[in-house]
Amino acid sequence: MSRTPTNISFGRIQQLAIPAIIAGIAEPVLSSTDAAVVGNISSYGTESLAAVGVVGSFLSMLIWILAQTRTAISTIVSQNLGAGKLEDLKDFPAQAIYFNILLSLVVLGATYFFVEEIFRLLNAEGLILQFSIDYYNIRVWGFPLTLFTFAVFGIFRGLQNTFWPMIIAIIGASINIGLDFAMVYGIEGFIPAMHIKGAAWASFISQAIMAILAFIMLLVKTPIHLKFRFPIHPEIKRLVSMSLNLFVRTIALNIALMLAVREATGLGKEYIAAHAIAINIWLFTAFFIDGYGAAGNILGGKLLGGKEYRSLLKLTKKVTLYNLGVTAILMLVLWFFYKPIGLLFNKDLAVLNVFYGMFFMVIICQPFNALAFTFDAIFKGLGEMAYLRNVLIGATLIGFLPVLYFAKFMEWGLWGIWLAIICWIAYRGIALVVKFKNKYLPLVKNSSS
């Protein structure tokens, strides 16, 4: 029985990409909103912003490491869908979700009792250290909830549906923004001003609501059940293998980001505050780019499963061009709002002077982001987790670390840190383009379709 060719038209890509963009920015919106709101607290705003930067980087590291199971789930579901074997998955989604939750609880337990030591390693001290601990001890409990939500999003993506994750993300982000203002600054006569702890509670409540909505949508909008039944599905072995490769990859990724935070913190509170603003904006723009990457991921896995190699090449070209267009728009917006963006996060002139002196490097980074994140997402859909692991290790050891410590030796400050980040991203993009050309172009040429 012949399969219907996968639709990779402009309309279909937009149908997947636009909701994925909106859903993808939920987590950075939570962190960015926290940063912007606490950074404008009348007393200790700079220290609070620095603390959110330290904790946000650490939590992002944990989330990115473990949320890779979302990608593995999506890849397995989409490839089976493309091969016409979706019915064979049966109990796999439920087993994958429980695997994700169990993993998150293990990691949470392994880190919760050592947060002070972890933040000290990141050069946090004094008020910044105390605020970091206060913020983390509340927000960390949203960690398993976020990973459950991401696992459900992975199932929806594998089923070629990014609409419901978008709805859940919009609701969660909207609630978080409202609660941030209410709980950080307080509402006279109703809610006392809780400052940085209020930001943490706002994020936790938002994550809980998103998890509940994800659970409901999974049961209502898909044929998936959440009953854990034996035997263990054969695809769980592939899920574990993919996830392990992605864990190692993401550890390498986060070593780079955490070292950047550590070096920025060591420069002084104004520098880590400025870096916190810059990295939040970088993450925010990255998720815009990741939306079209998600379309490539979702459709690419299905195309590979169906051995539609010519369509895979066309898809790759299309999403790359779309992302370069998105990048051009982002660069113009960031340049046009260069000054207002800084003022949105903080009013401290010392912080703003540092930020304005280096923000252009975040803008320069954008085209490299487009290339790296587009091919990164497509390769995940193709199941190339081992190669993605090797690329990140190489980018960190060869592209990032030498530049970071040479720049430190030269006393280039935040310029040096962001130069290392640019080299790191560029290495990833070039390596992935070369791999795609060498492995997948020959499949296209040999294809009879």
Side-chain angles (χ1 to χ4, degrees), residues 299-440:
L299 294 171
K302 187 180 179 185
L303 291 169
L304 183 67
K307 298 183 179 180
E308 299 177 60
Y309 302 125
R310 291 187 183 277
S311 294
L312 176 61
L313 176 61
K314 291 178 183 177
L315 173 73
T316 303
K317 289 180 178 178
K318 284 184 177 182
V319 293
T320 302
L321 286 173
Y322 296 158
N323 260 343
L324 288 172
V326 170
T327 297
I329 295 170
L330 286 171
M331 293 175 75
L332 288 172
V333 170
L334 293 177
W335 191 261
F336 186 78
F337 292 102
Y338 201 98
K339 294 291 176 100
I341 286 172
L343 289 168
L344 178 67
F345 284 86
N346 196 257
K347 303 297 189 295
D348 188 321
L349 288 178
V351 173
L352 291 174
N353 285 335
V354 174
F355 174 73
Y356 292 143
M358 56 71 58
F359 185 48
F360 71 93
M361 301 191 79
V362 179
I363 299 175
I364 290 172
C365 198
Q366 297 305 311
F368 299 109
N369 286 355
L371 200 60
F373 297 160
T374 301
F375 277 86
D376 189 90
I378 290 172
F379 270 64
K380 286 175 182 175
L382 300 177
E384 293 276 3
M385 313 310 187
Y387 186 72
L388 289 171
R389 175 201 65 203
N390 295 340
V391 167
L392 241 302
I393 292 173
T396 301
L397 295 179
I398 300 170
F400 180 81
L401 290 177
V403 177
L404 179 71
Y405 287 107
F406 177 75
K408 183 179 181 180
F409 174 76
M410 297 298 292
E411 299 182 349
W412 289 347
L414 275 188
W415 279 35
I417 292 171
W418 277 86
L419 179 62
I421 290 173
I422 291 172
C423 292
W424 178 62
I425 293 292
Y427 181 106
R428 292 167 58 186
I430 293 168
L432 293 174
V433 170
V434 170
K435 175 70 171 182
F436 188 88
K437 181 180 179 181
N438 290 341
K439 181 171 182 177
Y440 291 97

